[in-house]
Amino acid sequence: MKRLEAALKARVDFPASDLARLKEEFVEKKLPKGELLLPMGKVCRSLFFIEEGLARSFYYGDSGSDVSLWFFREGEFLTNSESFFQQKPSIYNIELLEDARLYEISHQRLEQLFEELHLIERFGRLLAIEMLGEMIQRWHAMQFKSAKERYDFMLERYPDLFQRLRLGDIASFLGIRPETLSRIRAKH
């Protein structure tokens, strides 16, 4: 719970009482690798914080292969922001890539806390802005950068993940074929 507390405090300078109240609302869960936290077509009803483990969001491409959109690791909040904040069906899946220890808070409970405590509402707003900014960075990288530049972007953003992910997941995240990834890695 120390990582969760640090992540909350990094976004908002909570008084001890508000921080304690928010932390007690998060429920600890231990889930196995392969667990689908959010299936495509379902509404995301939870915000998670990853204490230990690794997850990804993905969808199935035209050929039936899965395409990785985003990776989430220790110390990060995890949700489908569009589905969670707007309570709309998700257009992608979220799965655990490793056994995980998570903290979960429901959308309903978080909304109640937003009404009760101004600083928690501020936390939600800052988290949504942060997630939007990350999505824009990812979109920009995919639209305007070469395959090598996208690889460098991932290497800078997620240096530790290259040892934890399958090459196919990395290639699909970068929008390139596994053979192209192998050539880029060989030159790096």
Side-chain angles (χ1 to χ4, degrees):
M1 182 144 295
K2 289 202 184 295
R3 277 191 179 142
L4 174 60
E5 182 174 327
L8 294 169
K9 287 165 76 172
R11 287 162 180 86
V12 174
D13 186 20
F14 287 105
S17 60
D18 288 358
L19 182 62
R21 176 122 184 254
L22 183 54
K23 280 176 28 186
E24 74 185 18
E25 297 293 338
F26 280 87
V27 177
E28 183 177 14
K29 290 190 164 202
K30 292 181 181 179
L31 299 170
K33 174 183 177 176
E35 181 86 13
L36 204 58
L37 294 176
L38 177 64
M40 185 171 57
K42 299 289 184 189
V43 174
C44 185
R45 305 222 186 269
S46 296
L47 172 68
F48 296 94
F49 179 80
I50 304 177
E51 187 70 25
E52 296 172 7
L54 181 64
R56 74 173 177 143
S57 58
F58 72 99
Y59 67 93
Y60 295 104
D62 294 336
S63 66
S65 61
D66 59 70
V67 178
S68 296
L69 294 169
W70 209 261
F71 299 106
F72 305 89
R73 59 190 170 178
E74 294 89 356
E76 295 181 342
F77 287 95
L78 162 64
T79 195
N80 174 329
S81 54
E82 179 184 28
S83 180
F84 181 75
F85 288 110
Q86 297 179 12
Q87 290 296 277
K88 299 172 29 171
S90 176
I91 58 173
Y92 55 83
N93 304 287
I94 298 177
E95 78 169 330
L96 294 176
L97 297 175
E98 296 175 351
D99 291 343
R101 185 161 56 102
L102 309 166
Y103 292 102
E104 177 183 24
I105 187 168
S106 72
H107 178 270
Q108 179 182 10
R109 188 63 193 124
L110 193 56
E111 284 290 329
Q112 290 170 346
L113 290 171
F114 288 164
E115 293 291 324
E116 294 172 25
L117 298 166
H118 169 70
L119 286 178
I120 294 176
E121 183 177 37
R122 180 169 187 215
F123 159 77
R125 180 175 48 82
L126 292 173
L127 183 62
I129 290 168
E130 179 182 311
M131 290 177 168
L132 176 62
E134 289 177 7
M135 285 188 290
I136 290 170
Q137 282 182 3
R138 165 98 167 100
W139 175 80
H140 185 268
M142 295 303 291
Q143 293 296 314
F144 301 110
K145 295 186 184 272
S146 68
K148 180 175 182 327
E149 289 171 326
R150 291 193 303 268
Y151 177 83
D152 291 341
F153 168 79
M154 184 175 179
L155 192 58
E156 181 181 314
R157 176 128 170 83
Y158 301 112
D160 58 311
L161 294 188
F162 284 85
Q163 286 72 46
R164 296 170 72 182
L165 294 170
R166 298 177 308 175
L167 288 181
D169 289 338
I170 295 170
S172 72
F173 176 76
L174 296 173
I176 59 177
R177 298 171 48 97
E179 305 83 48
T180 304
L181 176 61
S182 294
R183 282 194 300 275
I184 291 170
R185 290 178 63 152
K187 291 179 183 177
H188 223 267

